[in-house]
Amino acid sequence: METTNKKFIFLDRDGVINEDLFDYVKSPLEFKFIKGSLEAIIKLSKSGFQIIIVTNQACIGSGIATTQDIENVHKFMEDTVIKKGGKINRFMVCPHDKNEGCKCRKPEIGLLIEAEKQIGVNLRGVFFIGDKESDVIAALDFECVPLLVKTGYGSKTLESENLPKYIKVFRNLSDAVDYVLSL
């Protein structure tokens, strides 16, 4: 596996980039960027980061939404980012229901392994910004650097006794991205 000087970053979707409806975002009409998150993605992109969205979408496996519904949401996100001069490089989606026992539903690391295979670059050590304990666990298990945001489930995640004390916590994606870009 090759190493590269290109910069990569993993971002969770619901609760980090967009408002988490806590009942699935199933169409572009339901998708709303969290204040500052669109601009944060643009900043990352313009700073040379390749952005990989890693998202659990059990709504597909449970029949609440179709794969096409979720692809439409991602197309809307992508088009919005492109119009503002940025780019999302890849969407990695776990479509499985919570009880299917797959290897790709976070906190499992299957999506991260698959992203690494598709890109052909070692992605260990990159930042992973999320709002759930499952994001932090996946990041740590894949040897990424987890950053937690307080949006979405983030404030609740902070209450977990399993959360390592050294995890850096940010108000939102915008603040987390400013931190990443300051390094």
Side-chain angles (χ1 to χ4, degrees):
M1 180 117 357
E2 94 177 57
T3 54
T4 180
N5 61 0
K6 288 184 183 167
K7 301 177 268 186
F8 293 86
I9 191 162
F10 289 114
L11 302 180
D12 176 50
R13 194 189 88 181
D14 300 322
V16 174
I17 296 171
N18 60 282
E19 298 288 343
D20 194 330
L21 300 180
F22 307 104
D23 183 32
Y24 303 109
V25 174
K26 303 172 292 295
S27 81
L29 295 174
E30 297 173 333
F31 185 92
K32 268 201 199 125
F33 282 97
I34 292 172
K35 185 177 194 265
S37 67
L38 175 58
E39 295 78 8
I41 290 170
I42 305 305
K43 269 197 228 177
L44 277 173
S45 185
K46 287 186 173 180
S47 297
F49 276 86
Q50 292 202 20
I51 299 166
I52 305 164
I53 309 295
V54 184
T55 181
N56 289 345
Q57 293 297 319
C59 56
I60 297 170
S62 63
I64 295 171
T66 66
T67 300
Q68 187 61 57
D69 292 335
I70 301 307
E71 286 174 2
N72 292 343
V73 170
H74 291 161
K75 177 91 172 90
F76 171 79
M77 281 177 67
E78 191 172 33
D79 289 348
T80 305
V81 169
I82 288 169
K83 282 180 194 158
K84 299 283 186 178
K87 181 175 183 182
I88 295 172
N89 299 84
R90 192 169 301 270
F91 289 90
M92 304 301 297
V93 178
C94 170
H96 302 106
D97 189 68
K98 296 174 177 122
N99 303 318
E100 286 187 57
C102 68
K103 294 291 182 210
C104 58
R105 182 175 176 76
K106 296 174 293 177
E108 298 294 330
I109 61 172
L111 290 179
L112 306 175
I113 291 169
E114 185 58 29
E116 190 174 69
K117 277 185 199 166
Q118 288 180 14
I119 296 167
V121 171
N122 182 342
L123 296 174
R124 311 293 164 137
V126 306
F127 287 105
F128 185 133
I129 303 175
D131 68 320
K132 295 177 193 73
E133 191 171 345
S134 59
D135 297 323
V136 172
I137 293 166
L140 291 172
D141 286 352
F142 192 68
E143 300 172 21
C144 286
V145 178
L147 302 177
L148 184 69
V149 293
K150 292 181 183 179
T151 52
Y153 282 94
S155 293
K156 184 160 180 50
T157 300
L158 282 172
E159 298 169 11
S160 171
E161 293 179 15
N162 301 323
L163 192 68
K165 300 297 178 221
Y166 61 83
I167 299 294
K168 292 201 179 307
V169 179
F170 300 90
R171 185 172 47 114
N172 55 30
L173 180 59
S174 183
D175 287 356
V177 165
D178 286 344
Y179 169 75
V180 168
L181 295 179
S182 75
L183 300 175

